[in-house]
């Protein structure tokens, strides 16, 4: 492993450890989106075995992020909002499973669109929070 790659990995780990929980959720949304995009890109792979393997790998990485987000919902603090997020995450995970089984990009594109909307809403909530406006806490 070269030094630049190692420094980048250390920097990324440090960024995760020092960010606030709200920004960490944004980072996780971005990571899931990046992996889904990589799965979509892998669909154009000419070698069928490589295509299937790469799509599977990236879809599972995105699923794991969503599973972790879902597992860390605080239903006591978040109430109905946390329950709504739980249902959304469940839907996204099921659609990713479907994409993985069928090696289809249609569910991947759907999840990217929905996740993008969720990310935008979350980012807006964080902006309001930083402006000291009252917001709910679920993460």
């Amino acid at each position: 492993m070269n030094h630049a790659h190692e420094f980048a990995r250390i920097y990324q780990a440090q960024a995760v450890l020092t960010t606030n929980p709200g920004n960490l959720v944004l980072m996780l949304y971005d990571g899931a989106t990046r992996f889904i995009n990589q799965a979509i890109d892998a669909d154009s792979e000419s070698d069928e075995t490589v295509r299937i393997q790469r799509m599977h790998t990236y879809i599972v990485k995105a699923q794991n992020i969503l599973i972790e987000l879902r597992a860390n919902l605080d239903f006591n603090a978040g109430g109905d909002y946390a329950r709504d997020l739980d249902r959304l995450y469940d839907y996204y995970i099921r659609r990713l499973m479907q994409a993985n089984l069928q090696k289809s990009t249609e569910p991947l594109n759907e999840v990217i669109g929905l996740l993008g909307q969720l990310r935008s809403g979350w980012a807006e909530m964080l902006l309001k929070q930083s402006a000291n406006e009252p917001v709910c806490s679920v993460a």
Side-chain angles (χ1 to χ4, degrees), residues 4 15 18 24 32-33 36 40 43 53 59 77-78 83 86 90 93 105-107 110 115 128 130 135 137:
T18 59
L24 183 58
T33 300
I36 294 168
I40 291 168
D43 188 49
Q53 182 181 23
I59 290 169
R83 283 185 281 285
D86 183 59
D90 177 63
I93 292 163
T105 59
E106 186 270 322
E110 178 188 3
L115 197 54
K128 288 179 182 178
S130 69
V135 294
S137 172

Side-chain angles (χ1 to χ4, degrees), residues 25 29 32 36 62-63 65-71 73 75 79-97 107 110-122 138:
V25 171
Y29 288 159
I36 294 168
Q63 281 177 301
I65 290 172
L66 293 169
I67 289 167
E68 190 65 28
L69 283 164
R70 188 174 184 207
L73 288 171
F75 293 97
D80 289 339
Y81 189 71
R83 283 185 281 285
D84 290 344
L85 280 173
D86 183 59
R87 286 191 291 276
L88 285 173
Y89 293 152
D90 177 63
Y91 179 75
Y92 299 164
I93 292 163
R94 285 186 290 116
R95 289 297 282 160
L96 291 176
M97 277 194 260
E110 178 188 3
V111 173
I112 281 180
L114 295 170
L115 197 54
Q117 292 174 13
L118 186 58
R119 189 209 184 278
S120 294
W122 191 266
V138 295

Side-chain angles (χ1 to χ4, degrees), residues 1 3-15:
M1 180 179 292
H3 291 305
H5 183 71
E6 181 64 17
F7 288 134
R9 188 191 63 73
I10 291 169
Y11 175 81
Q12 184 179 27
Q14 199 61 26

Side-chain angles (χ1 to χ4, degrees), residues 18-104:
T18 59
T19 193
N20 69 48
N23 285 334
L24 183 58
V25 171
L26 286 179
M27 291 170 72
L28 291 169
Y29 288 159
D30 291 343
T33 300
R34 185 180 70 250
F35 289 132
I36 294 168
N37 278 320
Q38 288 173 318
I40 291 168
D41 290 345
D43 188 49
S44 63
E45 181 68 48
S46 59
D47 181 322
E48 186 67 9
T49 303
V50 173
R51 181 184 81 85
I52 289 169
Q53 182 181 23
R54 287 186 60 217
M55 285 186 78
H56 171 78
T57 298
Y58 293 127
I59 290 169
V60 168
K61 287 181 179 196
Q63 281 177 301
N64 287 340
I65 290 172
L66 293 169
I67 289 167
E68 190 65 28
L69 283 164
R70 188 174 184 207
N72 285 288
L73 288 171
D74 184 341
F75 293 97
N76 291 326
D80 289 339
Y81 189 71
R83 283 185 281 285
D84 290 344
L85 280 173
D86 183 59
R87 286 191 291 276
L88 285 173
Y89 293 152
D90 177 63
Y91 179 75
Y92 299 164
I93 292 163
R94 285 186 290 116
R95 289 297 282 160
L96 291 176
M97 277 194 260
Q98 185 178 23
N100 203 359
L101 288 170
Q102 298 172 346
K103 298 302 182 263
S104 168

